[in-house]
Amino acid sequence: MKSVSTIATTAPSRGPDHPTWVQQFAHGPQGSHNQGGDLWCEFCVVADCGATFHLNEENAWITHHLTHLNHTLPSTLVCWFCDDYEFSVNERAPPDDRQRNFVDRMRHIHGHIQEDESLTVESMRPDFYMADHMFDNRLIDEDMWRAYKSYTELPRHYQIPGTYQNQRPLGAPLTPPQQNDNWAYRPPHELANEERQRRRAQRSRR
């Protein structure tokens, strides 16, 4: 994997009265979240998924996310931690381009976690493009979508009750650097089979 050395590796600071995205759900319908492991699932909040992976299991971690999304991927995505790039392809892009775009975004996120040991699931911020995509494709219901979109980084005294003050600013440049790796498009059935094998192997180790 190409080293990500020019990006900011820490999330913006929050005020003492500002809960993290995961903390907002700590006592919600999905319960608590597993914080073990080097790499966690993006959907620990909205799907109560406790899957974790080691840093050297990057491809399995990415495959796990593709399976969650039923291989129906957003055309636009952002990072969990920084606002440096917008990962985007044309709305009519074929599945292989969408998968490549998603993989680039996940490898970028992996680079943050690999370089900054202080980053945990509590550091993760929501991707509102992902929220809209999941709602549009009936992967989450309206209540979860509203909860997802209710996250804001504004201090409480600046928030307007009943409104969504949730837009994360995106800074330049908007085009992320190309990742130099050997990921090639993999069809859904191949990735689903790999995920099943991973789960069987995990159960056999218990």
Side-chain angles (χ1 to χ4, degrees):
M1 173 185 172
K2 184 178 179 180
S3 174
V4 183
S5 59
T6 60
I7 58 176
T9 57
T10 56
S13 59
R14 301 180 177 89
D17 67 339
H18 188 277
T20 68
W21 180 42
V22 172
Q23 286 170 349
Q24 288 186 182
F25 284 81
H27 303 292
Q30 298 301 322
S32 60
H33 308 289
N34 185 344
Q35 297 184 38
D38 301 315
L39 301 169
W40 58 92
C41 178
E42 179 169 6
F43 309 115
C44 62
V45 169
V46 298
D48 201 23
C49 180
T52 58
F53 301 81
H54 297 297
L55 279 172
N56 62 1
E57 297 179 303
E58 184 181 38
N59 283 354
W61 175 64
I62 293 172
T63 296
H64 174 81
H65 284 81
L66 291 169
T67 304
H68 262 300
L69 292 167
N70 296 327
H71 308 280
T72 302
L73 304 173
S75 59
T76 302
L77 297 148
V78 291
C79 177
W80 300 348
F81 308 115
C82 78
D83 299 314
D84 292 352
Y85 306 114
E86 183 178 272
F87 296 83
S88 183
V89 292
N90 189 284
E91 285 282 351
R92 297 184 178 181
D96 55 335
D97 286 352
R98 283 179 178 256
Q99 189 179 105
R100 174 74 266 176
N101 184 60
F102 183 82
V103 169
D104 283 348
R105 180 253 201 175
M106 296 305 290
R107 292 202 186 283
H108 170 88
I109 291 169
H110 182 276
H112 279 296
I113 297 170
Q114 186 174 46
E115 293 186 5
D116 187 347
E117 294 181 356
S118 70
L119 293 175
T120 69
V121 65
E122 293 286 349
S123 311
M124 180 172 64
R125 298 183 296 169
D127 180 342
F128 299 118
Y129 293 116
M130 178 68 80
D132 291 340
H133 172 81
M134 294 180 74
F135 179 63
D136 291 344
N137 287 274
R138 300 182 179 180
L139 297 174
I140 56 174
D141 62 22
E142 184 174 354
D143 288 342
M144 182 57 73
W145 175 78
R146 289 183 180 278
Y148 211 129
K149 299 278 281 190
S150 68
Y151 175 81
T152 176
E153 293 178 351
L154 286 175
R156 284 196 178 97
H157 57 277
Y158 287 128
Q159 296 175 27
I160 301 174
T163 64
Y164 291 151
Q165 302 287 337
N166 59 15
Q167 295 303 311
R168 287 168 48 181
L170 291 174
L174 292 182
T175 303
Q178 292 296 312
Q179 298 284 347
N180 295 323
D181 57 61
N182 58 359
W183 184 284
Y185 174 73
R186 302 171 67 193
H189 70 272
E190 179 184 318
L191 293 170
N193 183 57
E194 182 178 309
E195 177 69 359
R196 284 194 297 269
Q197 291 177 353
R198 182 193 68 81
R199 289 177 179 176
R200 281 198 296 268
Q202 189 174 50
R203 286 194 297 267
S204 68
R205 291 195 295 268
R206 291 174 181 172

